Amino acid sequence: MNNVLIINGHHYYPFSEGKLNATLVDRAATFFKEKGHSVRVVTIKDKVDIEQELENHKWADFVLFQSPINWMGVTWSFKKYMDEVYTAGMAGSLCHGDGRNKQHPKQNYGRGGMLTHTKYMFSVTLNAPEEAFNDKNEFFDGKSIDDLLFPMHMNFKFFGMASLPSFACYDVMKNANIEKDLNRFEAHLTQLF
């Protein structure tokens, strides 16, 4: 069985209380526990212990990053978490520097990651409709959800982690279909695990 770390990156706003992200986290935790996996859940809005978070990442075989997309990226509090935890991880717990060495100072950037046994997945919620993606005539110019998440993917590649297919709940503020999204989420997890 695997060790599963679930990180809820929601940031509270009066118009976005975080219920859907919390529900997705709860569904994922239940899903993995029922399959016999060990699960740890971290909620960004809570006070975070950096050393414990580094240990959580070293412990995990799989990390699920659950976050809304705000202004084309994860929340600022999720970014703050990453800045604090992952910067601390540069000291040798998550990676050996940036992968370069004195003999080859221009090669192997981003190849120092120590989490090569760890897989990760993004699960995101966003107001944009699914139709805004993968269509050159729509807002995202034909780009996919993973194109939007590209900087995040690079963050975790930096630590040697391998990605699993991302999941998204689209149009959650204007045309939500929560029950359908939850069913799709469970089917997505079942297909992967």
Side-chain angles (χ1 to χ4, degrees), residues 34-35 62 86 95 98 118 135 157:
E34 287 177 352
K35 292 201 172 281
F62 172 68
Y86 299 152
C95 63
D98 66 11
T118 308
D135 182 338
K157 182 177 180 180

Side-chain angles (χ1 to χ4, degrees), residues 132-178:
F133 293 91
N134 303 309
D135 182 338
K136 291 188 180 206
N137 297 315
E138 289 293 334
F139 180 77
F140 290 102
D141 298 327
K143 304 289 192 283
S144 71
I145 191 70
D146 284 307
D147 291 327
L148 185 63
L149 294 169
F150 180 77
M152 293 293 292
H153 282 295
M154 291 300 97
N155 289 331
F156 303 114
K157 182 177 180 180
F158 192 88
F159 295 117
M161 300 166 76
S163 67
L164 293 176
S166 300
F167 177 82
C169 295
Y170 299 96
D171 215 358
V172 299
M173 296 183 81
K174 293 194 175 176
N175 294 296
N177 190 336
I178 303 305

Side-chain angles (χ1 to χ4, degrees), residues 23-126:
T23 300
L24 290 162
V25 166
D26 289 343
R27 291 280 178 107
T30 298
F31 173 88
F32 287 114
K33 287 176 185 174
E34 287 177 352
K35 292 201 172 281
H37 302 294
S38 297
V39 177
R40 294 180 184 173
V41 176
V42 173
T43 303
I44 298 294
K45 69 180 175 84
D46 298 335
K47 184 168 174 56
V48 177
D49 179 281
I50 292 173
E51 290 303 316
Q52 180 60 52
E53 293 311 302
L54 293 173
E55 180 55 38
N56 284 343
H57 280 74
K58 291 189 289 186
W59 167 84
D61 299 302
F62 172 68
V63 183
L64 172 62
F65 297 100
Q66 178 65 54
S67 180
I69 297 298
N70 291 354
W71 295 110
M72 311 310 155
V74 296
T75 61
W76 69 266
S77 50
F78 196 173
K79 181 69 169 73
K80 179 179 183 283
Y81 170 93
M82 291 168 40
D83 285 348
E84 293 176 349
V85 173
Y86 299 152
T87 299
M90 294 284 294
S93 58
L94 302 184
C95 63
H96 298 292
D98 66 11
R100 296 179 288 176
N101 59 47
K102 289 180 183 178
Q103 292 77 24
H104 303 286
K106 302 288 185 183
Q107 298 173 349
N108 295 317
Y109 176 80
R111 310 267 180 187
M114 297 169 56
L115 302 181
T116 55
H117 71 284
T118 308
K119 295 182 179 172
Y120 73 92
M121 183 185 104
F122 289 116
S123 174
V124 297
T125 59
L126 60 164

